[in-house]
Amino acid sequence: MFKLQLYYGFSGFSISAARLGLPDVGLISYGEMIDQGCLITEAASIPVIGDADNGYGNCMNVKRTVKGFIKAGFAGIILEDQVCFSSDIELFMADVLPYTVFVLVILKLHD
């Protein structure tokens, strides 16, 4: 699947489509992303950036997510500042964390 993504330029929705047959609307769990991420990073010959949605919960979950994505071999991670999961369709309606709160979440990763 990764080789198809690399060739055709598919986006992060591909994991949800491949595993669940559904669009990326926040249904893929942390564990599923880690499992799939290990497979993708092992097959990749280039750095892979993982989509961690909003970190799967509070500050402690974000910290766990970042560590897990690193262990899975991702070269980078995308963290959204949304309060809850949302699809691309709902993106314009999503509640967003205040800038100062999101900065604190990122700073908490260094603890």
Side-chain angles (χ1 to χ4, degrees), residues 4-90:
L4 288 173
Q5 292 172 334
L6 181 61
Y7 184 78
Y8 290 108
F10 294 170
S11 66
F13 100 94
S14 301
I15 292 175
S16 183
R19 288 185 75 111
L20 303 175
L22 297 169
D24 183 11
V25 291
L27 298 175
I28 293 289
S29 70
Y30 164 79
E32 289 171 311
M33 283 299 292
I34 295 299
D35 291 344
Q36 196 68 38
C38 288
L39 297 173
I40 291 171
T41 57
E42 286 176 13
S45 59
I46 61 171
V48 178
I49 299 172
D51 181 357
D53 289 325
N54 65 357
Y56 303 100
N58 62 24
C59 287
M60 294 309 295
N61 294 103
V62 172
K63 189 171 187 174
R64 175 179 179 241
T65 297
V66 170
K67 287 182 178 183
F69 273 55
I70 291 168
K71 190 174 180 180
F74 285 105
I77 184 172
I78 298 169
L79 281 171
E80 299 171 4
D81 58 353
Q82 295 173 358
V83 174
C84 61
F85 292 96
S86 72
S87 68
D88 291 339
I89 296 168
E90 299 171 324

